[in-house]
Amino acid sequence: MEAQSQVVDRLRSSFRSGVTLPEQFRQTQLSRLLSMLKENEEKILAALHDDLAKPKFEAVLSEVELVLGEVHYAISNLRSWMQLEYCAKNMATKLDDCFVRREPLGVVLIIGTWNYPLQLVLSPMIGAIAAGNCVIVKPSEVSPATDRLIAELIPKYLSQDCYAVVSGGAEETKALLQHRFDHIFYTGSQAVARCILQAASVHLTPVTLELGGKCPSVVYGRVNIVAAARRLIWAKFFNAGQSCVAPDYVLCSKATCDTLVPALRAALQDFYGTEPQTCPDLSRIVSQKHWTRLVELLEKSKAKVVVGGETDEEDKYIAPTVVVDVAEDDVLMQEEIFGPILPIITVESLEKVIDFINSREKPLALYVFSDESSVINTVLEKTSSGGFCSNDGIIHMTLPGLPFGGVGASGWGSYHGRWGFETFSHRRACMMRGWALERLNGLRYPPYRDDKLSWLRWTTRTNCSIM
Amino acid sequence: MEWQAVQQAREVFLSGRTRALEFRLQQLQALQRMITERETDICIALKQDINRSQYDTPLLELIGIENEIKLALEKLTEWAAPRPVEKNLLTMSDEVYIQKQPLGLVLIIGTWNYPWAVTLQPLVGAIAAGNGAVIKPSELSEHSSLLLRALLPRYLDKDLYPVVLGGVSKTQELLKQRFDHIFYTGSSSVGKLVMEAAAHQLTPVTLELGGKSPCYIDKNCDIRVACRRVTWGKFVNCGQTCIAPDYILCEPCIQGRVVECIRQTILEFYGADPKSSPDYGRIINQHHFNRVMDLMEGYAPVVGGQSDASQCYIAPTVLKDVPPHSRLMQEEIFGPLLPIMTVSDMDDAIHFINEREKPLALYIFCSDKKATKRMIEETTSGGVTVNDVMMHYTLSSLPFGGVGQSGMGNYHGKHTFDRLSHQRACLVRSLGMESVNLVRYPPQDRHRARRVRMVLKSSLIDLSKRTFIWAVSVSIIAFGLFITLLVILLIASGLNCTCWYWRGFYN
């Protein structure tokens, strides 16, 4: 088995050779990625089921189709993304060619995580390939079946000189981070992100951090409670609540809570039946360790369980659970839940809702359920978050035109669609001047004079459009 | 007391004072007034700091800041407006757009070579994006820092943009506070420390660093003009510019000519005794003077070489046949020493450049457009100017920044606004049309799954204005053509219409 340093060196010399630069090469690799997904869908679904008991529907929707969509989008748009971008000029540069060139960074490292183990590794990889980089991918060891599958398939379909998979746990990741990369893309927790940033600072490596946090879900004002409950349930319990953009907790008034809880119960019954543990459409918790963490949260919490609460250790099962009477300092409100437990916190005014949200770290996503556009607009204007979606959950991340990423403690940088391409590119400013007009240049040379200065002020005035 | 000022800035930001565009425009206008009204004071401060000539100051710093402010004033409404993006079938009736939001409190750490430009240009973007900002100018440009601290609160909002003075330990203390973005200009070694400190709070950074910017002069070019431009760029601010051409690469056959042209140009610009020229600067302090002098040790210059420690004066100096392993070729010079290293041809130059760290700027002097294009394609750098030096910095529509060891992130014009904003993805849906959503809910079956796949595969609809106008125009044209075709067919079929118009036509 190749040592990490050999892998890094090999990819670096491939990058230096320039093989990834032509559009044709990148298109070919993206097409092969497409074939890889299409020809191995059954294997992929099986691996995801092994790791997370992921229902086929969820796996298809949130992993396979999402990645297929990204590849298609990149293939269709790559040429336009690679075009030179001509810029507005001023008087002094009127006759010059001024443009921005997108260039690959070099060898990039993508560290995935376990909740969407395929998507969170391949989606950034698409952007990195499209941008012309060589890529090392480090899937999460917590989802071992998908990790093994990725390690098997990538070398089979993509150029082995330019793309490699490195597997392993925390020690291997630490060792990998000692090497020099030209960009590190990390999805995961804040604690690990700090270590990654420390390692990146040694080499001045730019990073993209897709982290998490507690995504608030506001239900306020006049609202179609049945529709809101269904969408909330869908977004929350998708992948058994193990999504970085899952609604973490609900904020609503007491009166709304009283109508919301029965609606949530009804929606849960519609979706997963009366015995959710037997329903094939519900995932499981990824590992014993995470199951224990969630069960302990439930046990330590002083909140009241109104729906669900059942657990089964052997099956790593936790029933879709709703809890009320949650205090602000309850253990459920201390960290990101990342599981199928939905706390409802009652707050009596919209102002208090906004204060509640703003007194905490900026979340990755913020949701508002309301039929009143004034409520939606107020929350939108007065808060900040990575992304925002009203009257639904998670869906905003399926649109490649929208940048997907966090802000503050929920992360920095973004990807999906063109945003991924830009993340893994360097925008190089180019100005091509001519030899003529040296007299104009004379305005800037010493010996200096007052009149030269006035002319210069005029010629370097704010940009005139090239149109 | 300073930490109180930082805390106060954050509280005022959180109160929402910077949200309104009018407020931001007022602050920018006030900054503009400050530059215009205090130009003389700024020039005096810079003369004291770095012996900058009164012409170099507006030329190198103030005009740039003024242009940035003017552009922001003109374009702010456009920059801050939400940007609609493509939708798919599922989101066709929804609003999908990117909302621009301020990040919060930005820390701007400046440096001493262009103390006003490197603090105020990022500040323009920070203000435009609606942030508060803490400015930490360099202690090495002491007079400028003191003046900045005196002036800023007199013109701008007193709470939102505090200036903090001090040295290394003050900066370290400041870095322990929480910021929403840190914008640092300076050396790569300190850049690493800034990034490491930012890691604790997961604070994003922009690092405008430096490095050795190569300048390749091809034998097929107007050497005389090339050397004039290089001489200007190299010796302005006494070589203390992050994007100054650090060293020259050229073929041995033109080295002599290059030396002569530079010598001529120095004479033209600064006279026979540059020390007495009011247009030639000085090294910032003794430490840097010694550092630059040490770089020259063991090499005999072919032009210049004179120095005067009491004035921190080093003459515009050229050294030829400099070997690649010399100290001069290892670290960024940041002074008025111009080494020339010979290469066998352009390929050799490309190879030399690629063996080294990615520079902040690359300069290519060549009359052959194809060769120039090849050199650009086979190298990388923060930015490139062809047939001149430094000019890519002056155009605010071009993103200015480094790559690799020369930096991360970029700014100028709208790029600063974008860099210091959060681009928030927004999807605004309604609770209606719930029947469409039913396909994605459990319990699942094969038919539902197929329908969802179909919807997700639908091509994206870009309902932005341009596409909409295009679509409507094309529809109108198509309809018009259809009508025209119909009329032609009617005429061609020679139909006898009872219509009075046609009766008139046929008669």
Side-chain angles (χ1 to χ4, degrees):
Chain A
M1 172 124 136
E2 215 181 357
Q4 282 181 2
S5 47
Q6 281 176 303
V7 175
V8 178
D9 289 342
R10 179 162 55 80
L11 262 55
R12 198 164 283 293
S13 38
S14 296
F15 180 75
R16 282 215 173 111
S17 75
V19 66
T20 59
L21 299 180
E23 187 198 331
Q24 192 48 52
F25 177 85
R26 307 180 202 187
Q27 291 281 17
T28 308
Q29 298 304 311
L30 290 171
S31 305
R32 293 210 194 135
L33 201 58
L34 209 58
S35 308
M36 184 185 100
L37 291 160
K38 288 183 176 163
E39 290 167 18
N40 294 279
E41 187 172 305
E42 288 309 314
K43 278 191 183 171
I44 291 170
L45 297 179
L48 290 167
H49 195 270
D50 264 346
D51 286 330
L52 285 145
K54 211 177 265 242
K56 178 173 164 172
F57 178 80
E58 284 190 8
V60 164
L61 188 62
S62 66
E63 301 251 27
V64 178
E65 280 302 324
L66 207 91
V67 180
L68 280 174
E70 285 278 323
V71 186
H72 279 299
Y73 192 75
I75 288 174
S76 316
N77 289 286
L78 182 58
R79 180 162 298 183
S80 68
W81 293 349
M82 286 176 69
Q83 300 283 9
L84 298 178
E85 182 195 337
Y86 285 88
C87 299
K89 302 186 268 197
N90 59 21
M91 291 296 290
T93 50
K94 245 334 182 202
L95 299 179
D96 305 326
D97 269 341
C98 303
F99 55 88
V100 176
R101 218 172 157 256
R102 262 97 178 150
E103 299 181 349
L105 297 169
V107 179
V108 307
L109 172 63
I110 295 172
I111 302 176
T113 189
W114 53 262
N115 56 338
Y116 294 88
L118 188 84
Q119 185 231 115
L120 293 176
V121 139
L122 293 189
S123 206
M125 192 181 189
I126 290 162
I129 293 174
N133 299 284
C134 287
V135 189
I136 294 185
V137 147
K138 206 328 258 148
S140 171
E141 72 283 9
V142 179
S143 44
T146 316
D147 182 2
R148 276 191 303 271
L149 188 62
I150 291 173
E152 176 204 323
L153 292 178
I154 297 260
K156 214 165 118 185
Y157 283 82
L158 302 188
S159 158
Q160 290 191 25
D161 290 328
C162 301
Y163 313 105
V165 181
V166 169
S167 295
E171 286 309 310
E172 283 82 1
T173 311
K174 253 192 224 156
L176 196 51
L177 286 167
Q178 303 304 313
H179 294 95
R180 184 167 167 184
F181 293 99
D182 299 291
H183 195 99
I184 298 175
F185 188 104
Y186 169 71
T187 308
S189 73
Q190 284 165 18
V192 176
R194 283 191 184 89
C195 301
I196 292 190
L197 263 179
Q198 301 275 10
S201 66
V202 170
H203 299 292
L204 284 173
T205 303
V207 300
T208 302
L209 304 174
E210 296 277 328
L211 309 177
K214 295 180 78 61
C215 300
S217 212
V218 179
V219 184
Y220 197 86
R222 186 176 31 89
V223 59
N224 176 341
I225 207 82
V226 170
R230 293 168 77 85
R231 296 180 189 191
L232 189 52
I233 292 289
W234 180 80
K236 174 68 186 188
F237 298 105
F238 195 95
N239 207 32
Q242 297 163 114
S243 310
C244 48
V245 284
D248 190 274
Y249 63 95
V250 171
L251 286 169
C252 62
S253 67
K254 182 81 180 59
T256 306
C257 182
D258 291 340
T259 52
L260 183 61
V261 170
L264 292 172
R265 195 180 285 120
L268 276 168
Q269 194 149 328
D270 276 345
F271 290 2
Y272 305 114
T274 45
E275 305 270 324
Q277 193 170 6
T278 58
C279 175
D281 297 328
L282 188 64
S283 299
R284 295 293 182 265
I285 307 305
V286 68
S287 70
Q288 217 61 58
K289 180 173 143 201
H290 284 86
W291 182 91
T292 309
R293 177 185 69 83
L294 287 163
V295 165
E296 275 175 10
L297 276 179
L298 254 183
E299 281 168 4
K300 288 188 188 146
S301 168
K302 300 194 168 60
K304 183 170 121 194
V305 175
V306 288
V307 184
E310 300 88 22
T311 63
D312 179 341
E313 188 168 0
E314 208 185 303
D315 195 17
K316 289 180 282 178
Y317 167 78
I318 297 177
T321 302
V322 180
V323 297
V324 296
D325 298 336
V326 184
E328 284 187 38
D329 57 357
D330 189 276
V331 70
L332 281 170
M333 293 306 292
Q334 302 312 310
E335 56 183 76
E336 188 176 356
I337 293 169
F338 224 73
I341 304 167
L342 182 64
I344 301 181
I345 298 199
T346 49
V347 182
E348 287 314 310
S349 69
L350 194 58
E351 246 180 76
K352 289 215 166 82
V353 163
I354 290 169
D355 284 340
F356 189 97
I357 294 169
N358 286 342
S359 61
R360 284 160 176 74
E361 293 295 349
K362 293 176 190 175
L364 184 54
L366 174 56
Y367 303 111
V368 178
F369 290 86
S370 183
D371 282 320
E372 292 178 54
S373 55
S374 58
V375 167
I376 295 172
N377 289 330
T378 307
V379 178
L380 187 56
E381 291 302 317
K382 295 199 172 174
T383 60
S384 183
S385 60
F388 176 92
C389 182
S390 67
N391 294 323
D392 214 326
I394 303 184
I395 290 285
H396 64 288
M397 64 169 290
T398 65
L399 288 160
L402 287 176
F404 179 67
V407 64
S410 53
W412 23 299
S414 61
Y415 69 124
H416 284 184
R418 184 175 189 153
W419 303 91
F421 177 84
E422 296 284 341
T423 289
F424 291 106
S425 298
H426 165 54
R427 293 191 300 155
R428 189 183 191 190
C430 300
M431 182 181 282
M432 322 271 281
R433 311 208 80 198
W435 298 99
L437 298 183
E438 183 59 6
R439 287 206 63 163
L440 192 65
N441 265 356
L443 291 177
R444 75 191 196 212
Y445 298 150
Y448 298 130
R449 289 196 318 264
D450 274 327
D451 58 324
K452 277 187 176 181
L453 203 51
S454 318
W455 277 106
L456 258 171
R457 285 196 134 108
W458 186 74
T459 61
T460 57
R461 197 151 283 167
T462 38
N463 298 333
C464 326
S465 165
I466 52 168
M467 287 308 205
Chain B
M1 197 172 96
E2 276 122 351
W3 312 138
Q4 272 180 321
V6 173
Q7 193 47 39
Q8 173 76 351
R10 184 171 284 289
E11 278 168 19
V12 173
F13 168 78
L14 288 171
S15 75
R17 195 183 292 179
T18 62
R19 216 175 279 141
L21 293 189
E22 292 73 43
F23 175 83
R24 306 179 204 181
L25 290 167
Q26 272 165 18
Q27 296 303 303
L28 291 171
Q29 281 156 354
L31 194 61
Q32 190 172 46
R33 271 198 321 274
M34 184 184 100
I35 303 289
T36 318
E37 289 170 13
R38 301 300 190 149
E39 185 175 318
T40 314
D41 294 328
I42 295 171
C43 287
I44 293 170
L46 281 165
K47 180 94 182 139
Q48 290 170 316
D49 283 330
I50 201 173
N51 202 43
R52 177 89 65 70
S53 89
Q54 64 167 128
Y55 295 100
D56 260 341
T57 290
L59 174 64
L60 303 173
E61 297 208 58
L62 302 186
I63 293 178
I65 301 170
E66 281 166 7
N67 283 343
E68 287 281 307
I69 296 173
K70 281 192 193 114
L71 185 68
L73 286 170
E74 193 190 310
K75 298 281 189 179
L76 181 57
T77 313
E78 188 189 308
W79 293 350
R83 187 180 121 192
V85 299
E86 304 162 13
K87 309 189 224 191
N88 61 15
L89 214 57
L90 199 64
T91 50
M92 244 201 78
S93 58
D94 304 326
E95 281 173 58
V96 183
Y97 58 89
I98 296 168
Q99 183 199 36
K100 321 289 176 65
Q101 288 194 308
L103 293 170
L105 200 60
V106 176
L107 173 62
I108 299 171
I109 302 176
T111 187
W112 51 263
N113 60 340
Y114 295 92
W116 296 84
V118 302
T119 46
L120 296 187
Q121 282 199 13
L123 181 62
V124 169
I127 293 173
N131 299 291
V134 174
I135 300 116
K136 164 66 190 73
S138 169
E139 69 280 14
L140 293 191
S141 46
E142 200 191 330
H143 299 93
S144 294
S145 305
L146 285 165
L147 184 60
L148 186 65
R149 190 168 71 167
L151 289 183
L152 223 52
R154 270 189 238 170
Y155 287 84
L156 299 190
D157 183 288
K158 289 179 184 18
D159 299 312
L160 283 161
Y161 315 107
V163 179
V164 173
L165 300 187
V168 171
S169 57
K170 189 55 74 75
T171 310
Q172 284 167 339
E173 283 299 312
L174 206 48
L175 285 168
K176 289 187 187 144
Q177 308 290 315
R178 178 123 184 231
F179 292 97
D180 300 289
H181 195 99
I182 298 174
F183 194 109
Y184 169 75
T185 307
S187 70
S188 302
S189 48
V190 177
K192 288 180 186 173
L193 300 173
V194 170
M195 193 173 168
E196 199 195 357
H200 295 293
Q201 311 264 22
L202 291 175
T203 307
V205 299
T206 300
L207 304 176
E208 296 280 329
L209 310 176
K212 296 180 76 62
S213 299
C215 181
Y216 172 71
I217 302 181
D218 192 72
K219 63 176 188 271
N220 295 316
C221 80
D222 187 336
I223 295 179
R224 179 86 188 87
V225 172
C227 290
R228 287 185 93 219
R229 296 177 181 187
V230 171
T231 306
W232 169 76
K234 177 67 184 189
F235 299 112
V236 91
N237 211 37
C238 210
Q240 296 161 116
T241 309
C242 51
I243 43 168
D246 190 275
Y247 61 96
I248 290 175
L249 291 169
C250 68
E251 288 181 43
C253 56
I254 59 163
Q255 189 179 210
R257 180 102 208 279
V258 167
V259 169
E260 268 324 294
C261 289
I262 296 176
R263 189 200 307 276
Q264 275 303 310
T265 311
I266 292 172
L267 194 63
E268 211 180 294
F269 286 0
Y270 307 114
D273 179 27
K275 196 171 168 186
S276 55
S277 162
D279 300 331
Y280 188 70
R282 296 291 182 268
I283 303 298
I284 181 85
N285 63 19
Q286 208 64 53
H287 162 76
H288 282 280
F289 173 86
N290 294 337
R291 179 187 64 78
V292 176
M293 290 305 293
D294 284 346
L295 286 177
M296 244 200 311
E297 213 174 286
Y299 296 99
V302 289
V303 178
Q306 302 85 357
S307 63
D308 180 350
S310 68
Q311 281 192 34
C312 289
Y313 165 78
I314 301 176
T317 301
V318 181
L319 304 102
K320 68 176 208 174
D321 292 321
V322 174
H325 57 264
S326 62
R327 256 193 83 194
L328 266 169
M329 294 305 292
Q330 301 311 313
E331 50 184 90
E332 189 176 357
I333 294 168
F334 225 71
L337 310 182
L338 182 53
I340 305 177
M341 223 198 73
T342 53
V343 287
S344 50
D345 54 23
M346 186 184 258
D347 280 317
D348 194 19
I350 291 172
H351 182 72
F352 185 87
I353 292 165
N354 287 344
E355 296 231 285
R356 282 155 182 76
E357 294 295 347
K358 296 172 187 178
L360 185 54
L362 170 62
Y363 302 114
I364 306 169
F365 287 87
C366 181
S367 297
D368 180 347
K369 282 202 168 139
K370 257 178 137 172
T372 306
K373 187 166 175 267
R374 185 168 72 82
M375 193 167 197
I376 294 176
E377 284 169 5
E378 294 182 16
T379 58
T380 189
S381 61
V384 183
T385 299
V386 172
N387 298 331
D388 208 331
V389 296
M390 314 207 302
M391 291 303 286
H392 64 284
Y393 176 92
T394 66
L395 195 59
S396 58
S397 56
L398 287 173
F400 179 74
V403 64
Q405 296 292 296
S406 54
M408 56 179 85
N410 46 53
Y411 73 124
H412 283 185
K414 182 172 188 278
H415 306 290
T416 328
F417 178 91
D418 287 342
R419 187 79 186 161
L420 299 178
S421 297
H422 169 51
Q423 311 221 31
R424 189 192 202 185
C426 297
L427 171 59
V428 178
R429 314 201 78 197
S430 82
L431 283 167
M433 304 224 306
E434 183 58 0
S435 49
V436 175
N437 269 346
L438 292 179
V439 281
R440 75 185 202 215
Y441 297 149
Q444 276 303 326
D445 61 35
R446 211 178 295 161
H447 304 292
R448 276 191 180 185
R450 207 177 303 140
R451 257 181 283 160
V452 174
R453 279 185 113 131
M454 201 185 70
V455 163
L456 283 179
K457 276 183 162 66
S458 71
S459 56
L460 295 169
I461 302 159
D462 179 359
L463 288 177
S464 66
K465 221 196 239 164
R466 231 180 356 179
T467 313
F468 184 68
I469 292 169
W470 177 88
V472 168
S473 316
V474 166
S475 307
I476 291 171
I477 292 168
F479 185 67
L481 284 172
F482 174 70
I483 299 295
T484 312
L485 182 67
L486 211 57
V487 166
I488 292 170
L489 285 172
L490 281 170
I491 296 170
S493 72
L495 275 177
N496 274 325
C497 273
T498 54
C499 168
W500 65 267
Y501 178 85
W502 293 114
R503 249 185 276 141
F505 182 84
Y506 282 120
N507 293 343

